[in-house]
Amino acid sequence: MKVLVIGSGGREHALCWKIAGSQLVDTVFCAPGNGGIDFDANCVDLGVSDFAGLIKFAKTNDIGLTVVGPEVPLSEGIVDAFASEGLKIFGPDKKAAQLEGSKAFSKDIMKEFGIPTAEYGIFNNYNAARDYIGNACFDLVVKADGLAAGKGVIVTCDRDEAFRALDEVMLDKLYGDAGDIVIMEEKLIGEEASFIAICDGDNIVPLASSQDHKPVFDNDDGPNTGGMGAYSPAPVMDDKMFSDVMDKILYPLVRGLKKKGIIYKGVIYAGLMITDKGVHVLEFNVRMGDPETQPLLMRLKSDIVPLMLEVASGGSIRDVKLEWEPGTAVCVVMASGGYPGDYKKGLPIHGIEKADAIDGVKVFHAGTKRQGDLITTSGGRVLGVTSLGPDIKSALEKAYKAAGLIRFEGMHYRKDIGKKALIRE
């Protein structure tokens, strides 16, 4: 079977790498791919929103399964477009993708279905939003309603910061049209975790737990990014908590959506805050996390393709059980200088081969481009140095040893990825 993966980031590189190892798969294509994906797949020069071009490619090349990585084409309805042409595609349709495409829709769904989440208000009027800030008796998180590449969230510590954040989102258009509507949300205190699962419309198969690191600097300082690193499993989630997420969050969500005529098929991602009052949902995403996918797929022993193919074919995954490596996987993101703000592109990267040569290490490319014999930077998050070890300590040592072999002008990466897990162990 031939498989087409849509996307160009570290998540998509990890998907291509994992899918290429399936006994069911002969060839993997990736559109548009990046400078490193072509080591594991055949890159195709088609944009993620070029539905007509992608459909034509899938038909011409007898693609048996298409896997969508990023949220933008899902929100634009790529699954509906492929399905209308009789093509098998893995991912939620446009209606279901509203869960990520609109934070307002997602928050209202959580409230309707009794899913624990923070107190909130939704505003399309600037003055009304200011009034909410002035009357709030808790610190706030200001969120742009629409898609903002994982960066449309500003965590504030007092009213002045909240007012400034509101101005940036609604007046300065920091996130463009995504900020036409804002969500004002109570800032929850606790430890974050990521819960990612696959759903066939009725049944849910959970992946292992993981934890992302959103702020750009060590000790969770600085602005939020798309993610500066991740590890799996996340010790903060015990077995009871894992079961509670399935029983009190994911199944109520999927069953509630079905009653509203939305059949959820594909990946469902719950961003969680674990507080002293229990688990609360910060957000839902409709695709695998980035950079959580990298350590998750490093740990996954099972072939993921049969699971995706069953969902895309309209089958049941009720009896599927996934097998996992017993150790820990860690991903350290190497970013361009200035990220998540402005940054240079086209800078040569050195040392990737040396890092990749370390046993148990895989360097997944995110924002890279191939220029002749060189790999150069082309994005904010450039590489995801990912390692697998028997425990968190050994996995971290391996990842940071590999990261230390890589260099490009202005690069930076967090030095404390996995610190919370290390402390718990």
Side-chain angles (χ1 to χ4, degrees):
M1 180 175 66
K2 298 177 183 177
V3 175
L4 171 63
V5 175
I6 294 175
S8 61
R11 166 185 51 229
E12 288 74 36
H13 190 181
L15 283 166
C16 287
W17 170 77
K18 183 66 178 177
I19 290 168
S22 171
Q23 293 184 348
L24 297 177
V25 176
D26 302 313
T27 308
V28 181
F29 296 96
C30 188
N34 62 40
I37 286 179
D38 59 6
F39 288 110
D40 296 290
N42 301 292
C43 291
V44 181
D45 189 18
L46 290 169
V48 300
S49 297
D50 182 4
F51 293 0
L54 292 166
I55 288 170
K56 181 179 178 181
F57 179 86
K59 288 183 172 181
T60 302
N61 291 274
D62 194 27
I63 299 296
L65 174 67
T66 297
V67 177
V68 187
E71 64 275 16
V72 171
L74 290 170
S75 294
E76 292 174 343
I78 191 169
V79 170
D80 309 69
F82 267 62
S84 69
E85 296 292 331
L87 297 167
K88 291 179 181 177
I89 183 167
F90 176 78
D93 65 15
K94 189 173 184 177
K95 283 184 178 180
Q98 291 178 89
L99 268 181
E100 183 168 0
S102 170
K103 294 184 179 69
F105 174 83
S106 180
K107 291 293 288 189
D108 285 345
I109 284 290
M110 286 186 248
K111 183 177 181 180
E112 181 178 351
F113 300 159
I115 295 170
T117 190
E119 292 293 324
Y120 69 99
I122 298 172
F123 304 94
N124 60 8
N125 179 277
Y126 173 77
N127 290 326
R130 279 189 63 90
D131 289 343
Y132 186 86
I133 294 172
N135 294 324
C137 58
F138 39 72
D139 291 334
L140 291 165
V141 178
V142 180
K143 297 182 175 182
D145 174 58
L147 297 176
K151 292 176 283 189
V153 176
I154 303 175
V155 182
T156 70
C157 295
D158 55 44
R159 280 195 176 91
D160 288 340
E161 283 191 6
F163 284 131
R164 285 196 295 272
L166 175 64
D167 288 351
E168 289 177 354
V169 175
M170 290 200 87
L171 299 184
D172 301 337
K173 294 295 181 182
L174 181 63
Y175 307 113
D177 293 343
D180 288 349
I181 297 173
V182 297
I183 293 85
M184 295 291 184
E185 186 175 283
E186 176 189 3
K187 182 170 78 171
L188 299 175
I189 305 300
E191 188 170 345
E192 290 191 45
S194 301
F195 197 104
I196 302 172
I198 293 175
C199 182
D200 65 8
D202 293 298
N203 306 290
I204 301 172
V205 174
L207 304 188
S209 64
S210 58
Q211 188 174 92
D212 189 9
H213 298 65
K214 284 291 187 185
V216 67
F217 299 127
D218 287 7
N219 302 312
D220 291 335
D221 288 333
N224 273 1
T225 68
M228 292 298 292
Y231 58 88
S232 172
V236 69
M237 290 203 70
D238 57 29
D239 290 343
K240 183 181 183 306
M241 203 176 296
F242 200 93
S243 296
D244 283 348
V245 172
M246 291 288 285
D247 297 338
K248 298 178 181 179
I249 294 174
L250 293 191
Y251 272 115
L253 172 70
V254 170
R255 290 164 180 163
L257 287 173
K258 189 172 185 179
K259 290 179 180 178
K260 297 174 75 71
I262 300 173
I263 310 301
Y264 198 101
K265 295 182 179 182
V267 173
I268 181 68
Y269 170 122
L272 308 174
M273 181 66 81
I274 299 165
T275 74
D276 56 6
K277 296 180 180 178
V279 180
H280 290 70
V281 177
L282 296 175
E283 63 179 359
F284 283 119
N285 292 335
V286 298
R287 36 70 188 184
M288 294 187 75
D290 189 349
E292 295 99 328
T293 300
Q294 291 87 311
L296 282 170
L297 294 188
M298 282 282 279
R299 287 191 62 219
L300 181 60
K301 294 173 69 175
S302 302
D303 187 344
I304 199 170
V305 174
L307 185 61
M308 292 176 163
L309 189 59
E310 192 69 23
V311 173
S313 302
S316 171
I317 58 173
R318 179 176 180 177
D319 298 322
V320 174
K321 303 292 182 185
L322 298 176
E323 291 187 52
W324 299 89
E325 294 287 353
T328 298
V330 173
C331 176
V332 175
V333 171
M334 310 194 75
S336 295
Y339 176 78
D342 295 333
Y343 50 84
K344 294 181 181 178
K345 296 182 180 180
L347 302 172
I349 308 170
H350 304 282
I352 295 175
E353 289 184 2
K354 291 181 179 179
D356 254 333
I358 297 175
D359 184 49
V361 169
K362 174 69 176 177
V363 180
F364 293 111
H365 291 236
T368 69
K369 186 176 182 180
R370 186 181 293 276
Q371 295 186 335
D373 294 332
L374 283 177
I375 299 292
T376 63
T377 64
S378 65
R381 292 186 297 168
V382 179
L383 301 168
V385 180
T386 309
S387 66
L388 180 65
D391 52 42
I392 183 68
K393 184 175 184 294
S394 60
L396 285 169
E397 288 174 352
K398 204 178 290 188
Y400 279 113
K401 179 182 178 181
L405 297 173
I406 298 171
R407 65 187 188 280
F408 56 89
E409 181 188 327
M411 75 173 191
H412 70 96
Y413 56 93
R414 283 183 58 161
K415 310 300 192 299
D416 65 342
I417 302 301
K419 181 179 178 181
K420 293 173 184 175
L422 198 60
I423 291 170
R424 286 184 178 275
E425 287 200 354

